[in-house]
Amino acid sequence: MTTPAPSAFDPRAFEGTAEYYAVGRAPYSAALADTMVRELSLDGTGQLLDVGCGPGVLELPLARLFDDVTALDPEPGMLRVGQRRCQRAGVANVRWVQGVAEDIAALNLGACRAITFGQSFHRVRRLEVAEASYDLLAPGGSLVLISHHVDGRPRPADPGYPEVPHAAVRKLILDYLGDGTRHYLATWDEGQPARFEDTLSQTRFGGSRTTYAPGRPDLIRAVDTVVASYFSLSYAAPRWFGNRRTGFESDLRQLLLEYSPAGLFWEWPGDTELVIATKS
Ligand SMILES: C[S@@+](CC[C@H](N)C(=O)[O-])C[C@H]1O[C@@H](n2cnc3c(N)ncnc32)[C@H](O)[C@@H]1O
């Protein structure tokens, strides 16, 4: 089979993953909204721009903290699923816009109180996009880079289920998809500074501060959810498997059941990290 060669900077990297993303990805901290209010002194007003919104992941908890929200993503499937989830949840102050971070200056948004990137800043040209964000923010407004963070965070007690065997699943994916995926995983950062803090210190923000909201200690995931979480990854999106997709899914399910005959896994996504850069 021809090996795919995905790129971290392909704006269509998540094509065909939105439904899986909405089901499979671990949620951020339950305290994320409260942490945003406290750290940014939010008062329910102003505009939020959320870049790389995916299926409305940050809109659901954060939209109520602002007058209005612009949710930006290049992938139409993500925007469709995000809109549907927000409608169902009664979140009505979000405008869904197809586009890339590199073009935010052209959105004619007016000054933003906050600009968020939830697990999406690593996918953009960071220095350029951080500078464009600086221009879009109102004085005192903040750029907030949100992600799960495991390393160095206090690990909660395991509730008695095995963890997802990520190393074994990754090997299975590589067996199916081969060298293109291996290359992609090895060159993820494509020469950009690895730490967001390092990028931000090179911009007009002049630096950043980092805070954490406690992650979810009690996520028990069924096999279906774990399968969805893998199909939600850009490098394991269903389209890469072509006509071997069914075979892969069946091998993945079998592998998971070997590790957990009950078909249940504990997932600790880590604490939710907020790297915050404020425009003075
Ligand atoms: C890992 S998902 C994050 C989704 C969501 N924000 C979250 O917190 O889970 C990354 C998202 O960034 C989007 N993306 C990829 N390249 C982008 C770019 N250049 N500009 C804006 N968004 C981009 C993808 O389509 C995808 O929806």
Side-chain angles (χ1 to χ4, degrees):
M1 174 183 177
T2 313
T3 35
S7 158
F9 297 118
D10 175 2
R12 301 305 305 274
F14 285 82
E15 190 179 341
T17 67
E19 300 284 358
Y20 297 106
Y21 203 109
V23 172
R25 290 294 182 107
Y28 293 125
S29 170
L32 174 60
D34 289 348
T35 307
M36 288 281 289
V37 169
R38 194 180 58 244
E39 292 290 332
L40 274 59
S41 303
L42 299 176
D43 59 4
T45 66
Q47 174 174 220
L48 168 68
L49 168 63
D50 178 40
V51 184
C53 62
V57 177
L58 289 177
E59 284 63 27
L60 286 165
L62 301 186
R64 65 184 170 81
L65 306 179
F66 299 88
D67 284 322
D68 50 84
V69 179
T70 297
L72 181 76
D73 203 287
E75 176 49 42
M78 290 292 196
L79 296 168
R80 216 167 27 245
V81 175
Q83 190 164 22
R84 188 187 72 212
R85 295 172 83 206
C86 282
Q87 266 165 4
R88 285 187 185 156
V91 174
N93 60 339
V94 183
R95 191 167 68 105
W96 302 88
V97 177
Q98 186 178 357
V100 292
E102 290 75 3
D103 292 339
I104 55 176
L107 294 176
N108 296 318
L109 285 182
C112 293
R113 181 96 187 236
I115 301 178
T116 46
F117 288 75
Q119 294 180 83
S120 52
F121 193 62
H122 60 289
R123 307 208 71 97
V124 307
R125 308 277 167 204
R126 295 175 207 168
L127 279 170
E128 169 193 332
V129 169
E131 292 289 1
S133 299
Y134 187 93
D135 288 329
L136 263 185
L137 285 167
S142 294
L143 172 66
V144 188
L145 311 179
I146 298 170
S147 57
H148 299 293
H149 196 89
V150 172
D151 292 346
R153 303 309 303 163
R155 193 178 176 77
D158 121 32
Y161 294 96
E163 291 184 55
V164 176
H166 291 297
V169 176
R170 192 180 267 219
K171 180 177 178 313
L172 181 68
I173 293 169
L174 290 173
D175 287 348
Y176 267 85
L177 297 184
D179 284 343
T181 298
R182 205 181 311 276
H183 175 76
Y184 171 66
L185 292 171
T187 59
W188 173 258
D189 281 317
E190 295 189 17
Q192 305 237 354
R195 295 175 68 248
F196 294 163
E197 293 86 339
D198 295 339
T199 297
L200 293 170
S201 65
Q202 294 171 36
T203 67
R204 282 173 288 162
F205 287 108
S208 60
R209 63 189 194 278
T210 300
T211 190
Y212 296 92
R216 317 251 178 177
D218 52 1
L219 284 181
I220 308 300
R221 319 286 266 167
V223 166
D224 284 350
T225 312
V226 177
V227 170
S229 76
Y230 274 100
F231 279 141
S232 80
L233 294 168
S234 56
Y235 69 88
R239 70 185 193 286
W240 296 124
F241 294 92
N243 60 12
R244 301 178 78 205
R245 192 214 127 125
T246 311
F248 167 72
E249 182 171 339
S250 142
D251 285 350
L252 174 57
R253 286 176 182 276
Q254 192 181 325
L255 175 73
L256 292 173
L257 289 173
E258 280 163 22
Y259 280 82
S260 174
L264 295 173
F265 296 88
W266 176 50
E267 182 175 12
W268 182 57
D271 289 335
T272 299
E273 181 187 78
L274 294 86
V275 177
I276 303 171
T278 300
K279 178 173 177 172
S280 51

